[in-house]
Amino acid sequence: MKFYFTFLLGLSRLQTPSADIRCNTTKGHKARGAVPWCVPRSYEVTKPPFLYKPEGNQKMNLHFTFSIREISEIKDSDQVLKIPMYFTVTWEENRLNIDQHHRSWEDDSTGPKGENTEEAETLNHLWRPNLEIYGLEDFQKHKILGEMAGLRITKDKRIKYDIKVTIEISCQMDFSEYPFDKHVCTFQVGSYFYNQNSMTCTSQLFDPSVESDFVERNLQHHIAWRNLSSEKGVVRLTSGSYSACGFEVLLKRKHEPLVYQVYIPCILFVTVSWISFIIDPKIVPGRMSLLVILFLVIINVFNNVKANAPAAASSRLNAIESFIVTCIFSIFSAIIEYAVVLSILTLRPEPKTTNTYNMPNGVHRDIKPRIKERLFILIENPRILDAASIIIFSSGFIVFNLHYWFIADYDQKITESEL
């Protein structure tokens, strides 16, 4: 089930434009030429700018910029990503009155040339879009002495609002192939109220991995970034179709630590269990204690892995659990094999006189023993079963590992979250 959470770009109530930014006031410092920009006295903050555009050109575009440094946390249990970023949204406000010849447009002391920096609170006196981030779990603003946000008015009548935030978004993950699981998590943002017929969007992603000073946080995943795919550029809801922009995060789990912590010990446990086939079956304490200890230890390994692994949506075992269960079955089979050998030694009848075979007419030739006679041979020499088990068990486990590590395809199931 998809959950859609919304946030308003500003939390304060919409207010009537104050006289501080209105044009043609009686105060001398607001006379034309004294300020680079102002809004007309008839300006309404509740009306979107595209209503004042010429007929046939009333579609409005929002441009988003995502400046990301890293992913600070990935919660497998909650299926949530925590992403600190500088979140910027830009839109055209054609109702602004711009003094094209004001000196501040050529001065870079308050910002880039062609832009004028204002206090973030000025946004309360301007129209601003209501935004929705699909799959939003938390939207945290950063503050020191004040809110880490800024507002810029451009010479070509655009408003740019920038804020430092930490965003938590949900990501639908499938852990069926853990620890070889891969996920594609989607960040989508768009207009909350206006559909794609009224408002479109574009976006720009600054990939942190291309920075020369980029240092990846020590997480359990390899992380890659890419722009939002075209098929996810539209979000279809019961109320209509809405334009969406954003980016995608590609997660690939680092399985190398588990190779040393789980896989290699389990392989060694199974290999050591084969030594029991060499031990004289009459030495019951030595052979049985070896197998039982290995069996109990690998059961404990399975319980620890089960407790620490993320819960899969399906009821079947994930990749690492399947591997350990196979190892458990291999050691358990060695115990069953020893039970069979021990049963033969303790329950077989006393050896009788060897049977002789006489061929008619004095003709002798090789005769293959029948199944019953072969069974008697096995009963008389149960160590044959141990010799055969060494070959069968080792060959089967080697084939299983070749399939598990080199043939099995763990890339087939990549979860693409549709937030």
Side-chain angles (χ1 to χ4, degrees):
M1 179 178 180
K2 301 178 182 177
F3 295 90
Y4 296 93
F5 297 85
T6 64
F7 76 97
L8 299 180
L9 195 59
L11 296 179
S12 59
R13 297 178 59 184
L14 294 175
Q15 304 174 5
T16 303
S18 68
D20 291 335
I21 63 172
R22 284 183 178 179
C23 304
N24 301 324
T25 64
T26 57
K27 296 181 181 181
H29 68 277
K30 289 296 181 182
R32 185 171 178 82
V35 293
W37 68 275
C38 59
V39 297
R41 298 183 65 85
S42 60
Y43 185 86
E44 297 183 65
V45 297
T46 59
K47 303 295 183 181
F50 61 79
L51 294 180
Y52 300 88
K53 286 187 174 184
E55 187 175 353
N57 187 31
Q58 291 186 327
K59 186 175 290 188
M60 184 177 181
N61 183 74
L62 301 177
H63 181 74
F64 299 97
T65 303
F66 312 106
S67 300
I68 304 171
R69 295 297 299 173
E70 62 176 359
I71 289 183
S72 60
E73 187 177 2
I74 301 174
K75 300 178 182 178
D76 288 336
S77 57
D78 299 330
Q79 300 188 21
V80 168
L81 304 185
K82 182 180 288 188
I83 310 175
M85 71 167 72
Y86 293 94
F87 182 85
T88 305
V89 57
T90 306
W91 65 93
E92 183 182 5
E93 179 53 275
N94 57 324
R95 292 174 291 177
L96 296 177
N97 289 333
I98 303 294
D99 184 359
Q100 299 288 341
H101 304 288
H102 196 276
R103 65 182 183 277
S104 65
W105 301 121
E106 301 301 325
D107 186 8
D108 59 359
S109 60
T110 62
K113 290 184 178 182
E115 298 183 2
N116 198 279
T117 302
E118 305 288 345
E119 292 293 331
E121 290 75 12
T122 306
L123 188 64
N124 295 330
H125 310 302
L126 299 171
W127 178 89
R128 61 278 182 94
N130 292 340
L131 302 180
E132 177 176 3
I133 295 179
Y134 300 93
L136 181 67
E137 296 285 342
D138 188 32
F139 188 88
Q140 178 184 358
K141 300 179 181 179
H142 293 261
K143 294 182 179 181
I144 301 180
L145 299 179
E147 191 173 275
M148 298 175 64
L151 181 70
R152 286 178 179 170
I153 308 297
T154 68
K155 192 176 181 180
D156 58 352
K157 297 186 177 182
R158 294 184 180 275
I159 299 175
K160 298 173 65 176
Y161 181 74
D162 181 86
I163 185 171
K164 175 67 180 297
V165 296
T166 297
I167 299 176
E168 288 190 15
I169 58 171
S170 62
C171 177
Q172 297 178 2
M173 300 180 181
D174 182 7
F175 302 107
S176 299
E177 304 301 332
Y178 174 86
F180 305 103
D181 51 317
K182 299 179 182 180
H183 313 282
V184 179
C185 301
T186 305
F187 178 90
Q188 292 173 294
V189 59
S191 173
Y192 173 73
F193 185 75
Y194 298 103
N195 60 25
Q196 61 181 352
N197 297 324
S198 303
M199 194 167 292
T200 60
C201 67
T202 55
S203 64
Q204 182 179 10
L205 170 67
F206 288 94
D207 187 346
S209 60
V210 301
E211 300 292 335
S212 58
D213 59 344
F214 172 72
V215 178
E216 188 177 55
R217 186 183 288 258
N218 188 20
L219 299 174
Q220 295 184 3
H221 299 77
H222 297 289
I223 301 172
W225 309 81
R226 71 185 183 194
N227 292 318
L228 191 68
S229 55
S230 57
E231 61 268 15
K232 296 182 180 178
V234 177
V235 176
R236 293 175 175 83
L237 305 175
T238 56
S239 56
S241 298
Y242 299 83
S243 296
C245 293
F247 55 88
E248 294 177 351
V249 184
L250 283 68
L251 304 177
K252 180 180 180 181
R253 191 177 302 275
K254 300 175 182 177
H255 64 269
E256 290 80 6
L258 291 174
V259 171
Y260 302 101
Q261 297 170 8
V262 177
Y263 285 103
I264 291 180
C266 287
I267 292 174
L268 293 178
F269 293 153
V270 174
T271 304
V272 171
S273 70
W274 301 338
I275 298 177
S276 66
F277 301 137
I278 304 174
I279 301 175
D280 189 347
K282 296 180 181 179
I283 307 177
V284 178
R287 184 162 174 173
M288 181 58 73
S289 60
L290 172 64
L291 293 174
V292 170
I293 290 174
L294 290 175
F295 185 73
L296 295 177
V297 169
I298 201 168
I299 287 290
N300 187 55
V301 171
F302 176 79
N303 292 334
N304 289 334
V305 170
K306 187 73 174 177
N308 296 325
S314 61
S315 58
R316 70 184 185 90
L317 299 175
N318 58 38
I320 192 171
E321 291 171 349
S322 300
F323 185 89
I324 301 176
V325 167
T326 302
C327 295
I328 292 175
F329 177 77
S330 180
I331 297 176
F332 180 75
S333 299
I335 296 177
I336 296 300
E337 188 272 345
Y338 178 54
V340 173
V341 172
L342 197 59
S343 299
I344 294 175
L345 290 175
T346 57
L347 301 178
R348 66 181 178 180
E350 294 296 329
K352 298 180 180 180
T353 306
T354 304
N355 294 330
T356 57
Y357 302 91
N358 297 321
M359 300 302 297
N361 301 325
V363 178
H364 297 276
R365 57 181 179 178
D366 295 333
I367 300 177
K368 295 182 179 180
R370 293 172 295 179
I371 296 178
K372 183 178 179 181
E373 295 166 350
R374 292 179 181 179
L375 184 60
F376 280 128
I377 294 175
L378 180 61
I379 293 175
E380 293 175 0
N381 301 281
R383 297 288 286 169
I384 296 177
L385 185 58
D386 282 339
S389 296
I390 294 177
I391 299 174
I392 295 173
F393 278 55
S394 60
S395 300
F397 193 67
I398 291 173
V399 170
F400 167 74
N401 276 273
L402 290 175
H403 178 270
Y404 186 89
W405 294 104
F406 302 105
I407 300 177
D409 184 10
Y410 301 106
D411 296 334
Q412 293 179 349
K413 295 184 178 180
I414 299 180
T415 302
E416 296 190 358
S417 60
E418 298 180 13
L419 307 178

